[in-house]
Amino acid sequence: MLGRAAAGMVLALGVALVVTSCSTASKGDAVAADRAEALAEQIGADLAPPVIRTRDAGWLVATHVVRRDDPGAGVHVDALRWSGSSGTAPGAQIDVRIRIEEPSHSATTIGEASYEAGSATRCFHYDVVGYQFHDTLVPKEISCPAVTVPPTPTATALPALPDDAEALVDTALTASSSSGDLRVALRAAFPQSFVTIDTTRTDDGVLVAAVGVPEERDCLVAVRGTDGVVQRISFDPVWIEPGETGCVTALYTNPPS
């Protein structure tokens, strides 16, 4: 019969064999490959918020893809190719390369695997299409092309009302005597093609202006009363969503019930 000391040595040896018998370089590679796939899924979730707004592929890459690059943590994310826009068929097309460097790991508990350092490189394709509701955007794995130095993406500026939009609307309302005059003044103040303008004059003489960038759910509604006072009108943001009332003067003259 073994003494307590000898039995303890046998047990310790058995534990060491359990822990070290799983030590392989391929295990490190497998862990790195799993991490790459998990990161690809996270990028898919970034690219598909609850409601996708129209975005060109360059903006999507610069905003959601390359931010995941973290060389200090052994995570290398490159956008290899991108084209198109989420607002037009077939959508924004994006190819991404993910390379993971997995450090070695020493097991600390029974049954846990130790492994040497490993690495994995995997590539994925994303189709980002239109106004859709998603829980996530599923990446499609593709063969990695031979791209040594990937291009650098840049995020194009999004369409938006200028910072002084309220002052510009107030000035146009103050200077105008009719709905037509107001429309001309507002178009001069907001010449950008992506800005929509709607004006009206109510039966009791109130001038109403609605100026916005519907694509970005950006809308400003203001009125000038018969006393000459200009006021901005608040409204439920849902009313300017696609398929709803939109950024028009009816937000004031005939708001949804």
Side-chain angles (χ1 to χ4, degrees):
M1 180 178 295
L2 294 173
R4 290 184 177 180
M9 291 179 61
V10 171
L11 178 60
L13 179 59
V15 171
L17 288 173
V18 169
V19 171
T20 60
S21 63
C22 296
S23 178
T24 63
S26 61
K27 176 64 176 176
D29 292 343
V31 172
D34 288 344
R35 285 184 59 197
E37 182 172 359
L39 180 54
E41 293 174 353
Q42 292 172 15
I43 292 173
D46 292 343
L47 291 171
V51 177
I52 298 178
R53 298 181 181 179
T54 298
R55 296 287 185 265
D56 65 60
W59 186 93
L60 290 168
V61 167
T63 306
H64 294 303
V65 175
V66 295
R67 76 181 184 88
R68 292 287 186 174
D69 187 59
D70 188 2
V75 178
H76 306 269
V77 179
D78 298 311
L80 302 177
R81 289 189 290 262
W82 58 88
S83 63
S85 165
S86 66
T88 56
Q93 309 287 301
I94 300 171
D95 290 349
V96 176
R97 179 176 62 200
I98 300 174
R99 179 165 59 90
I100 301 293
E101 297 170 346
E102 182 68 22
S104 60
H105 176 71
S106 297
T108 57
T109 60
I110 297 175
E112 182 184 0
S114 293
Y115 50 84
E116 297 176 9
S119 64
T121 300
R122 301 177 69 176
C123 293
F124 301 88
H125 174 81
Y126 300 89
D127 295 303
V128 189
V129 185
Y131 291 94
Q132 299 183 28
F133 291 87
H134 291 283
D135 292 325
T136 188
L137 187 65
V138 179
K140 303 172 185 176
E141 186 157 14
I142 60 175
S143 298
C144 287
V147 178
T148 305
V149 181
T152 301
T154 56
T156 54
L158 297 177
L161 292 176
D163 293 339
D164 60 347
E166 291 186 355
L168 292 173
V169 171
D170 291 356
T171 298
L173 278 167
T174 300
S176 301
S177 58
S178 68
S179 175
D181 291 343
L182 178 57
R183 180 179 293 275
V184 171
L186 288 174
R187 183 47 72 191
F190 300 94
Q192 301 88 349
S193 60
F194 55 76
V195 176
T196 62
I197 292 172
D198 188 33
T199 64
T200 193
R201 183 186 180 97
T202 66
D203 292 340
D204 55 359
V206 175
L207 271 179
V208 188
V211 178
V213 184
E215 182 178 321
E216 298 301 318
R217 321 303 197 269
D218 195 2
C219 181
L220 174 62
V221 179
V223 302
R224 192 196 73 193
T226 55
D227 57 0
V229 175
V230 174
Q231 294 180 309
R232 274 170 286 283
I233 304 303
S234 60
F235 49 85
D236 188 332
V238 172
W239 296 348
I240 61 173
E241 291 287 337
E244 301 296 333
T245 302
C247 185
V248 292
T249 55
L251 291 172
Y252 170 75
T253 61
N254 187 28
S257 56

